[in-house]
Amino acid sequence: HEGTNELALLNFTKVSDKTEVVGGFKWAWKSFLTGDLKTREGIWLHTRLIAGLMAQLLFSIIAITLLSTFWHGVIGLYNINFEIEDNTTYCNITLNPESCYAPEIRGISLGIVACTDIIFEGDGCDGRNIDIVSEVELFNFTCQYIPPNPATNETLCDSVAFLAYDNHYATFEGELTNNVFGSGSATYEVCKAQLTTCVSYENNTSCLLGLNPIFFIPWQFEGPVCEDIPLIEGIIDSKPALFAQTEAMFSKADEFVDNSIDDYIPKKWMVVLCAVVSLITGCLVAI
């Protein structure tokens, strides 16, 4: 009979030609999870080492999650403008310059127009009620120069609610405007005035235009066609030279700031690329 040593040597000789691929990332993790790393290879990992690896893995998962949330918020900032445009309700305000007059004080233009028969189209043309206590100057100014009710020729300042419009513009239309409309932006030439305050009578809406209701800045008319409307041209020509120079200076400053911001803020694809690279690097480091 063969002894134990002989059998062991015989078995070793029989399996000496068999090979097994060992080593590598996948093999190591598989052997660690199945326990073969300890039972077959005789490699024992210290409990502190395992605890440290688990803590590092947990920290990496938390860090990658927070980093993903951060990049999601940064990339979302580039979509705010599009979301605002999508959620903005439609509003189109038009008027005929023949139904307007330019208020004056001692022959000096106030830089505004008062008009009747204002046409509102759309569901985004709602104004805000004027607070008589905190906006008494705007209320008194509106009550003094708002066109009266065409039916009664009276302005009922005590019984009607005036509405203020902080960021609405009305377009002048009619035979006197010579507006040019086309498919391209270069052929879309109109004259617009900032809507200030309005009052609705029975079948008519009267408004003041050309004055910023927040900062009380007059001469708020825009568009190349404004010079073709005699009423608006006269108002623009009455603008003081110092005011015109200051307005032009601020306009150039705003344009410079906008261009500078566009030059220094990275494009969206740059941010997305940086986020992808950082997340991939974080995952590889964690592994």
Side-chain angles (χ1 to χ4, degrees), residues 99-235:
S99 62
C100 305
Y101 77 95
E104 298 179 349
I105 296 181
R106 297 178 181 178
I108 300 176
S109 174
L110 297 178
I112 64 173
V113 291
C115 306
T116 59
D117 298 326
I118 310 295
I119 301 175
F120 293 84
E121 297 177 348
D123 54 356
C125 300
D126 296 333
R128 58 176 178 83
N129 291 322
I130 297 179
D131 187 355
I132 302 179
V133 177
S134 61
E135 298 179 295
V136 60
E137 295 86 357
L138 182 60
F139 177 83
N140 292 335
F141 187 85
T142 302
C143 187
Q144 183 176 0
Y145 295 106
I146 196 78
N149 188 347
T152 61
N153 201 28
E154 294 180 355
T155 302
L156 306 178
C157 296
D158 298 330
S159 59
V160 296
F162 293 121
L163 297 178
Y165 297 83
D166 298 333
N167 195 26
H168 288 72
Y169 283 80
T171 302
F172 290 96
E173 293 186 351
E175 296 181 358
L176 297 179
T177 59
N178 296 323
N179 290 342
V180 179
F181 299 93
S183 57
S185 58
T187 60
Y188 190 83
E189 298 179 353
V190 296
C191 178
K192 293 184 177 182
Q194 182 168 7
L195 195 62
T196 307
T197 53
C198 294
V199 59
S200 296
Y201 298 113
E202 296 177 356
N203 296 318
N204 184 278
T205 300
S206 299
C207 300
L208 293 181
L209 303 97
L211 177 72
N212 186 304
I214 299 178
F215 302 104
F216 262 69
I217 302 177
W219 293 288
Q220 299 302 306
F221 300 92
E222 300 179 358
V225 185
C226 292
E227 299 290 343
D228 298 332
I229 304 175
L231 177 66
I232 308 303
E233 182 184 12
I235 296 175

Side-chain angles (χ1 to χ4, degrees), residues 49-96:
L49 179 60
I50 297 177
L53 291 175
M54 293 298 104
Q56 181 181 0
L57 180 62
L58 179 62
F59 175 79
S60 300
I61 294 175
I62 296 175
I64 292 175
T65 302
L66 294 177
L67 188 62
S68 301
T69 304
F70 168 77
W71 282 119
H72 181 270
V74 172
I75 296 174
L77 294 176
Y78 286 82
N79 299 326
I80 288 180
N81 293 333
F82 298 102
E83 293 175 358
I84 292 177
E85 292 178 1
D86 293 340
N87 295 330
T88 301
T89 53
Y90 172 74
C91 178
N92 182 40
I93 307 173
T94 57
L95 69 155
N96 193 321

